[in-house]
Amino acid sequence: CPWMESTGEVDVMECEDGTRCDADTRGWDCCLERGGRIKCPVNEPKMCMIHTCSGGGEYCCSNDCNSVGSEDRPCPAGQERWAVEAMQHVVELSFPTLYCLS
């Protein structure tokens, strides 16, 4: 599941539509109209189960989900495999097999 890791950037979140936004300059609600948050910034790396952030429409990002009255958002069974297969498909599309004719 994508939310199991951070974006690797301070204050930068990744949205469901694949775009990234800087919460420091655009606000912590910058993913609301882009499908919601899919990854949290490295300085608040854990996505929590609670939906009270950004006016109640977003999963919260935190260093410690217990501090916001929640727990870490889990990855549903079967999702891990789907994510790996999706990434393999992207790699296959990006690097097609080349055949040499002699």
Side-chain angles (χ1 to χ4, degrees):
C1 294
W3 58 84
M4 301 301 283
E5 60 184 48
S6 77
T7 60
E9 297 178 69
V10 174
D11 290 333
V12 175
M13 294 178 287
E14 186 170 317
C15 308
E16 287 274 356
D17 68 359
T19 61
R20 289 183 173 218
C21 61
D22 188 329
D24 191 41
T25 58
R26 305 204 48 221
W28 283 92
D29 61 349
C30 60
C31 283
L32 271 176
E33 294 184 12
R34 297 175 174 161
R37 297 174 185 166
I38 195 71
K39 287 187 180 184
C40 293
V42 71
N43 54 315
E44 300 283 344
K46 296 188 182 278
M47 186 168 286
C48 307
M49 284 291 296
I50 198 165
H51 285 101
T52 59
C53 293
S54 297
E58 289 278 16
Y59 287 104
C60 295
C61 293
S62 179
N63 281 311
D64 176 19
C65 291
N66 290 324
S67 69
V68 294
S70 186
E71 56 189 44
D72 293 3
R73 182 181 176 191
C75 187
Q79 287 276 34
E80 302 94 340
R81 180 182 170 136
W82 177 85
V84 169
E85 289 174 357
M87 286 306 297
Q88 288 172 340
H89 183 68
V90 168
V91 169
E92 289 170 6
L93 291 175
S94 300
F95 301 102
T97 304
L98 299 175
Y99 297 96
C100 295
L101 301 174
S102 43

